[in-house]
């Protein structure tokens, strides 16, 4: 069917608006990347836009050699991988019974889960609970309170409910019990929504900041988010980095880099892993969220 003139105009306006929005998201990252690879004179004079000027990797060398960025990266990796696995495991284990019509008190538990989306105890009771459980300075304080997202649980439950009962009946005739039915039938058919929910959980753990600020007092357990935040807001940290350099190193290296380029390098180290992972899950993202949230 041929599109009318009004439809062509509508599509053109949409393309323009979406292109502007996409550029507003991408260009700041490109600018930070260019700043992290530019020399001192170009950055301080404001000549760096979207391409490095006076290319140098000294900011990354200084970041890796003189800051605990490697340790913070490993901490972020542990928090993200373990946390996402725990989230997905318990979300699946909760969504499956709630999707089965013969599960007793199914409606009661579903309403109770929805209730938690509207009301919560608050920050202070949450902190007191974590403290009473002895989880302060433990990553469990980050994983356990948010072990299952109510929204993600409802999305996965909705997806499980859409799996044809005929397929379930055929599997039962072949001798599948509940565990085997979940593992052999439900999970293979749920890869799109599982990938989308894993992305949600993973990004949340990778960017975790407030929880670590409250529950983690040990500096050796801080993640990239806290380290980058300290670099952005704490000038003393950059002065400590400068103080660790010898006189010859300081004169040579600091002539090539600025605090802005070190901060930009720290932000890029935090952002790049998510930019690498996202394209592999993108094909599942929209499909998984749509078929997990629309009935029928």
């Amino acid at each position: 069917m041929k599109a009318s003139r009004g439809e062509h105009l509508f599509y053109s306006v949409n393309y323009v608006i979406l292109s502007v929005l996409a550029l507003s998201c991408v260009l700041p990252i490109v600018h930070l990347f260019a700043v992290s690879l530019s020399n001192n004179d170009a950055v301080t004079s404001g000549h760096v836009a979207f391409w490095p000027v006076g290319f140098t990797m000294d900011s990354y060398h200084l970041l890796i050699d003189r800051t605990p960025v490697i340790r913070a990266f490993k901490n972020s990796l542990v928090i993200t991988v373990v946390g996402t696995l725990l989230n997905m495991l318990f979300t699946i284990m909760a969504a499956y019974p709630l999707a089965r019509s013969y599960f007793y008190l199914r409606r009661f538990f579903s309403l109770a889960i929805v209730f938690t989306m509207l009301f919560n105890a608050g920050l202070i009771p949450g902190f007191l609970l974590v403290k009473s459980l002895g989880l302060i300075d433990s990553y469990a304080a980050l994983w356990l309170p948010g072990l299952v997202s109510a929204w993600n649980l409802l999305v996965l439950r909705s997806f499980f409910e859409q799996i044809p009962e005929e397929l379930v009946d055929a599997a039962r005739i072949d001798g599948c019990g509940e565990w085997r039915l979940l593992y052999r039938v439900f999970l293979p058919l749920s890869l799109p929504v599982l990938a989308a929910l894993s992305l949600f959980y993973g990004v949340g753990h990778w960017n975790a900041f407030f929880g670590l600020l409250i529950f983690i007092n040990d500096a050796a357990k801080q993640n990239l988010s806290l380290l980058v935040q300290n670099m952005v807001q704490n000038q003393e940290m950059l002065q400590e980095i400068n103080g660790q350099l010898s006189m010859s190193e300081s004169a040579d290296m600091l002539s090539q880099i600025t605090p802005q380029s070190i901060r930009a390098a720290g932000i890029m180290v935090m952002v790049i892993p998510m930019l690498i992972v996202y394209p592999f899950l993108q094909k599942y993202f929209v499909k998984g969220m749509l078929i997990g949230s629309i009935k029928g």
Side-chain angles (χ1 to χ4, degrees):
M1 183 176 179
K2 186 177 180 180
S4 65
R5 180 179 300 177
E7 288 175 331
H8 281 301
L9 178 61
F10 176 76
Y11 293 146
S12 299
V13 172
N14 276 345
Y15 290 146
V16 172
I17 293 175
L18 292 175
S19 298
V20 172
L21 291 176
L23 288 175
S24 67
C25 296
V26 172
L27 291 182
I29 298 176
V30 176
H31 173 69
L32 284 173
F33 187 61
V35 168
S36 69
L37 295 175
S38 300
N39 63 21
N40 181 21
D41 295 336
V43 174
T44 54
S45 62
H47 289 161
V48 181
F50 305 114
W51 191 260
V53 178
F55 181 86
T56 176
M57 294 287 292
D58 286 342
S59 296
Y60 290 94
H61 293 158
L62 188 61
L63 184 70
I64 293 173
D65 294 339
R66 306 294 178 175
T67 70
V69 66
I70 299 298
R71 182 183 65 198
F73 184 89
K74 292 179 180 177
N75 292 340
S76 290
L77 200 60
V78 170
I79 293 171
T80 302
V81 173
V82 177
T84 302
L85 290 176
L86 290 174
N87 290 142
M88 291 306 301
L89 174 63
F90 284 89
T91 301
I92 292 170
M93 297 298 294
Y96 177 74
L98 292 176
R100 302 292 83 209
S101 59
Y102 49 81
F103 177 58
Y104 187 63
L105 294 179
R106 172 173 175 259
R107 178 176 174 80
F108 169 78
F109 285 113
S110 297
L111 292 176
I113 291 169
V114 173
F115 182 84
T116 65
M117 299 175 63
L118 305 175
F119 305 97
N120 61 75
L123 178 61
I124 295 177
F127 176 81
L128 294 177
L129 175 62
V130 171
K131 184 177 180 180
S132 65
L133 294 175
L135 300 180
I136 299 296
D137 267 343
S138 170
Y139 290 149
L142 308 176
W143 297 327
L144 294 182
L147 194 58
V148 176
S149 165
W151 171 258
N152 292 344
L153 173 60
L154 295 177
V155 168
L156 186 58
R157 186 203 67 174
S158 178
F159 182 87
F160 282 165
E161 289 176 340
Q162 297 177 45
I163 294 178
E165 284 297 326
E166 294 79 6
L167 189 61
V168 176
D169 293 338
R172 291 193 183 281
I173 292 174
D174 290 337
C176 283
E178 297 295 345
W179 288 102
R180 191 173 181 186
L181 183 64
L182 173 62
Y183 178 70
R184 294 290 187 180
V185 177
F186 279 77
L187 295 186
L189 294 175
S190 308
L191 289 181
V193 70
L194 293 178
L197 297 185
S198 297
L199 181 64
F200 280 152
Y201 280 128
V203 171
H205 284 299
W206 184 262
N207 296 328
F209 170 76
F210 192 64
L212 278 96
L213 197 62
I214 295 176
F215 301 128
I216 306 298
N217 299 320
D218 188 354
K221 293 184 177 180
Q222 71 176 355
N223 65 348
L224 275 175
S225 296
L226 277 178
L227 179 64
V228 171
Q229 187 268 348
N230 289 334
M231 293 175 60
V232 171
Q233 296 188 354
N234 191 355
Q235 189 67 26
E236 294 180 0
M237 183 174 184
L238 297 177
Q239 293 175 354
E240 291 177 3
I241 295 174
N242 295 346
Q244 294 174 8
L245 299 173
S246 64
M247 294 299 295
S248 59
E249 286 179 323
S250 180
D252 182 45
M253 188 170 288
L254 293 181
S255 65
Q256 299 295 326
I257 61 175
T258 63
Q260 292 91 334
S261 61
I262 299 177
R263 294 189 186 107
I267 294 173
M268 291 309 303
V269 169
M270 180 179 173
V271 170
I272 286 176
M274 288 293 103
L275 295 179
I276 294 175
V277 171
Y278 181 76
F280 295 99
L281 299 177
Q282 183 184 15
K283 62 180 180 180
Y284 299 112
F285 185 75
V286 176
K287 180 182 178 183
M289 295 315 299
L290 287 177
I291 59 183
S293 58
I294 299 177
K295 180 79 173 177

